[in-house]
Amino acid sequence: MKNINPTSTEAWKELEKHFKKIRNEHMRDMFSDDENRAEKFSILWEDFYVDYSKNRITEDTRSLLLQLAEECQLEEAINDYFSGEAINRTENRPVLHTALRAAKDAEIKVRGENVLPEVEEVKTKIKDFSFEVISGARKGYTGKAFTDVVNIGIGGSDLGPVMVTESLKFYKNHLNMHFISNVDGDHVHETIKDLNPETTLFLIVSKTFTTMETLSNATTVREWFLRSVPEKEVSKHFVAVSTNLEKVESFGIDRNNIFPMWDWVGGRFSLWSAVGLSISLAIGYDNFAALLDGARKMDEHFKNTSFKENLPVQLALLSIWYNNFFKAESEAVIPYSQYLNRFPSYLQQAIMESNGKSVDRNGERVDYETGTIIWGEPGTNSQHAFFQLIHQGTKLIPADFIGFKRSLFGDKDHQDKLMANFFAQTEALLNGKNEDEVEEELKSKGFRREEVDRLKAFKVFEGNKPTTTILIEKLTPESMGKLIALYEHKIFVQGIIWNIFSYDQWGVELGKQLASKILAEFGEKEVSDHDSSTGTLLKYYLK
Ligand code: G6Q
């Protein structure tokens, strides 16, 4: 993996010139000038149809962006990524969430050893455990089957599992899933207040097993449990997922109840590991395995497909085009599926924690933009909320529209209405509505001339707002795996081109240390040295 400043490449310089040329071109004209535009700028892959023709690009833009990827030696970087090179150089680790979904007989070496046998061993443990809990063969201390599962974890040990269990709720079994993440005591107490310790299973998920939020929540839950249950029964109700076996044992969890993970799996990419135990419990191991299969298919597509036909590469390049040339600051992700309501917040962590960096791989301050701000909510709800700003605000917000051809309950009437909105929005964002069209519309509604003149400026839509449509056959564990992996690899490509390290998170680590000093002051009821704002706030809080 070479450290190449993207702005020093030939492609970047050409892109700057090219940008000046096409920045004001309207996509409406691009479509009317080329009847094959949709075909030229779309990729059909398995059950995914991705149409990126409603973007402010021409064939030249695409060629230059592809040249940029080549000059930044993306291909070599992809090989390093998949083969277990320590590409997370600031932590000296490989980045191998892809190994968790690799084919059984693959060979991926970390520090000289093939990790696949260990991965398979843990998968078998997840499979057996899930089967026992779901079937009722594994029981609580009074001999009753489990009815509730509580996942205690935060960040990467929470967001992925919550998002997937929510997205694949349709495939869920009888187990009630709960997630406790925030150190806010109201979160844990609200969650456990109606739970029965006899039939509740707790999963404590922490890669490091040092995270304050998770350990506090786990301790509170354990105390609550021990209020009515003898200590010797803890092992029947508490299991842990971690790399830190010693710390887990000293917390009082039986060694047999530990699902190991590895330092080469980043927290925000860990749902494919035992961190996804809650997913396997919620939807069954076969569905969990299908999720992994989907991700593996996307991995293979990403590794083996020419950049021009490569979904993660194309999505990443588009994002760079807007971020670095149009200076768009944010990107919206709008899933037209209520099941995917947590997908944007999951992506916020995956994308913003990975690429929110301002120092390049040489340790120098970058002088170009990196990570984008990600936000979004499901459609159609978001149409009735923030879409106004996308349509008529002053900011350029490229948006991904994610939709499914078939609904899960098969209600055609609702599906048609949902998808009519899905297509209508991207079409309107592309075309807009010009003054003539507004005048025409107002006149046809019987507005008088003065009224038309007074109102028309407010009703004009410039259009030319970029969208990418990701149309998927159906929401299944497999297609969900593909979708998540698509964005994971998009993150990778952007990090490579921006010449940053995507797989560390020093900003998050800082947050883990900051509170301890103030917490100690709370204990002593004495405020020490702070800026005057923080000092006054603390005194007010302690009063
Ligand atoms: C993810 C981040 C962060 C992490 C949490 C929880 O990439 O590093 O979100 O997952 O801070 O960490 P533990 O799993 O170690 O408790």
Side-chain angles (χ1 to χ4, degrees):
M1 199 173 71
K2 294 242 176 67
N3 299 356
I4 298 165
N5 181 335
T7 64
S8 69
T9 60
E10 274 309 303
W12 192 280
K13 288 172 200 139
E14 288 304 315
L15 277 162
E16 275 173 341
K17 286 189 221 150
H18 172 71
F19 171 68
K20 285 190 188 130
K21 229 168 67 194
I22 75 150
R23 66 202 293 179
N24 294 321
E25 277 184 33
H26 202 292
M27 285 191 283
R28 212 165 27 196
D29 301 323
M30 296 181 184
F31 273 93
S32 54
D33 290 350
D34 181 359
E35 59 180 24
N36 297 321
R37 184 172 169 84
E39 198 187 311
K40 274 186 194 153
F41 296 99
S42 55
I43 297 172
L44 176 65
W45 171 74
E46 299 217 340
D47 49 346
F48 278 48
Y49 178 61
V50 177
D51 176 349
Y52 61 99
S53 63
K54 293 190 184 83
N55 279 289
R56 292 167 70 168
I57 54 168
T58 64
E59 286 181 80
D60 287 344
T61 326
R62 180 170 60 190
S63 311
L64 288 171
L65 287 168
L66 290 169
Q67 189 190 324
L68 175 67
E70 258 155 47
E71 285 189 63
C72 292
Q73 302 200 2
L74 177 62
E75 199 176 324
E76 291 79 350
I78 295 175
N79 286 334
D80 290 348
Y81 173 32
F82 279 91
S83 63
E85 288 281 314
I87 61 167
N88 175 358
R89 286 200 210 131
T90 57
E91 295 181 307
N92 196 23
R93 290 173 189 166
V95 175
L96 275 180
H97 44 279
T98 50
L100 302 167
R101 56 230 191 181
K104 255 191 196 147
D105 52 359
E107 198 183 69
I108 301 169
K109 288 190 173 165
V110 175
R111 293 161 209 123
E113 253 192 65
N114 182 14
V115 294
L116 264 290
E118 253 183 287
V119 168
E120 285 306 316
E121 208 178 293
V122 177
K123 278 192 198 166
T124 308
K125 192 167 166 144
I126 298 174
K127 182 179 180 178
D128 294 346
F129 184 81
S130 305
F131 177 75
E132 287 170 18
V133 174
I134 297 166
S135 67
R138 183 178 279 256
K139 298 184 191 326
Y141 74 100
T142 54
K144 291 185 186 159
F146 291 108
T147 54
D148 292 77
V149 177
V150 182
N151 187 90
I152 304 173
I154 194 164
S157 299
D158 168 70
L159 281 161
V162 179
M163 180 278 287
V164 176
T165 43
E166 191 63 24
S167 300
L168 298 177
K169 210 175 184 171
F170 180 78
Y171 302 90
K172 221 179 77 50
N173 54 39
H174 63 283
L175 293 171
N176 303 310
M177 306 305 296
H178 311 267
F179 291 86
I180 301 175
S181 50
N182 202 326
V183 75
D184 176 359
D186 293 342
H187 191 187
V188 54
H189 291 294
E190 185 61 43
T191 311
I192 57 180
K193 71 177 187 197
D194 295 325
L195 292 176
N196 178 357
E198 288 177 79
T199 53
T200 305
L201 176 68
F202 295 96
L203 320 176
I204 306 175
V205 184
S206 176
K207 181 174 161 182
T208 55
F209 226 76
T210 56
T211 306
M212 185 251 264
E213 289 90 335
T214 302
L215 293 188
S216 303
N217 284 325
T219 304
T220 302
V221 164
R222 194 168 181 273
E223 281 166 8
W224 167 86
F225 183 79
L226 290 177
R227 252 177 254 149
S228 54
V229 186
E231 182 145 14
K232 67 176 183 13
E233 309 292 8
V234 164
S235 65
K236 293 205 176 80
H237 290 258
F238 284 75
V239 304
V241 178
S242 188
T243 54
N244 197 337
L245 307 191
E246 272 156 39
K247 277 233 155 44
V248 179
E249 277 190 290
S250 64
F251 183 83
I253 291 182
D254 203 281
R255 192 160 262 258
N256 295 326
N257 288 350
I258 306 176
F259 292 77
M261 60 183 293
W262 306 273
D263 70 351
W264 40 263
V265 181
R268 55 192 171 278
F269 303 101
S270 63
L271 68 91
W272 321 98
S273 71
V275 168
L277 183 58
S278 53
I279 303 173
S280 176
L281 287 167
I283 59 174
Y285 184 80
D286 288 348
N287 282 322
F288 182 63
L291 178 84
L292 300 190
D293 279 350
R296 194 194 61 250
K297 288 183 183 165
M298 183 55 80
D299 295 344
E300 280 160 9
H301 164 80
F302 177 52
K303 245 187 332 187
N304 303 326
T305 311
S306 72
F307 289 167
K308 194 174 166 205
E309 297 300 319
N310 195 311
L311 291 170
V313 173
Q314 285 298 350
L315 292 197
L317 292 175
L318 283 170
S319 173
I320 289 174
W321 176 234
Y322 293 118
N323 183 59
N324 295 92
F325 297 90
F326 282 89
K327 310 286 183 216
E329 291 198 331
S330 76
E331 276 168 36
V333 177
I334 319 289
Y336 275 65
S337 162
Q338 196 54 34
Y339 286 116
L340 264 60
N341 75 91
R342 296 301 303 268
F343 193 53
S345 50
Y346 163 79
L347 288 180
Q348 280 180 331
Q349 180 191 26
I351 297 174
M352 291 160 77
E353 197 169 305
S354 300
N355 287 336
K357 312 287 163 66
S358 50
V359 170
D360 71 12
R361 295 202 292 266
N362 295 310
E364 312 271 332
R365 183 90 170 73
V366 295
D367 58 1
Y368 47 87
E369 292 292 327
T370 62
T372 45
I373 300 163
I374 299 296
W375 56 285
E377 279 287 322
T380 59
N381 297 30
S382 47
Q383 292 175 201
H384 300 263
F386 54 71
F387 265 51
Q388 167 60 36
L389 187 142
I390 302 185
H391 279 289
Q392 285 191 309
T394 53
K395 294 179 171 58
L396 182 73
I397 301 167
D400 287 353
F401 278 63
I402 303 169
F404 297 91
K405 276 174 79 179
R406 285 189 282 150
S407 73
L408 296 182
F409 281 91
D411 187 322
K412 189 171 179 321
D413 176 53
H414 279 271
Q415 173 72 1
D416 284 351
K417 285 173 183 157
L418 174 75
M419 294 309 278
N421 275 282
F422 176 80
F423 296 116
Q425 284 291 337
T426 61
E427 190 169 39
L429 287 164
L430 152 68
N431 288 319
K433 204 188 271 182
N434 62 27
E435 248 187 53
D436 294 344
E437 289 163 331
V438 173
E439 272 201 31
E440 210 40 54
E441 188 182 304
L442 290 175
K443 275 195 223 144
S444 71
K445 285 186 180 156
F447 281 78
R448 280 177 290 119
R449 183 75 250 167
E450 323 75 274
E451 280 293 273
V452 171
D453 288 343
R454 190 175 69 79
L455 287 175
K456 68 181 178 199
F458 303 101
K459 294 193 169 250
V460 165
F461 292 79
E462 283 170 10
N464 216 12
K465 313 282 187 196
T467 61
T468 299
T469 300
I470 303 175
L471 186 56
I472 304 168
E473 201 60 37
K474 188 178 160 190
L475 176 56
T476 62
E478 187 180 307
S479 64
M480 199 58 212
K482 289 173 178 166
L483 184 66
I484 301 168
L486 167 64
Y487 281 95
E488 284 182 345
H489 298 319
K490 174 184 172 187
I491 293 168
F492 171 82
V493 173
Q494 289 184 284
I496 292 302
I497 293 181
W498 286 326
N499 196 30
I500 53 175
F501 288 121
S502 301
Y503 298 97
D504 57 20
Q505 55 284 313
W506 302 110
V508 174
E509 311 299 339
L510 172 71
K512 291 188 183 188
Q513 298 150 16
L514 286 180
S516 50
K517 178 170 175 263
I518 293 183
L519 194 59
E521 290 169 33
F522 287 168
E524 287 157 21
K525 291 234 173 242
E526 201 169 297
V527 174
S528 66
D529 199 21
H530 291 280
D531 62 84
S532 67
S533 162
T534 312
T536 313
L537 285 165
L538 289 174
K539 281 183 198 141
Y540 183 75
Y541 175 71
L542 288 173
K543 228 180 7 197

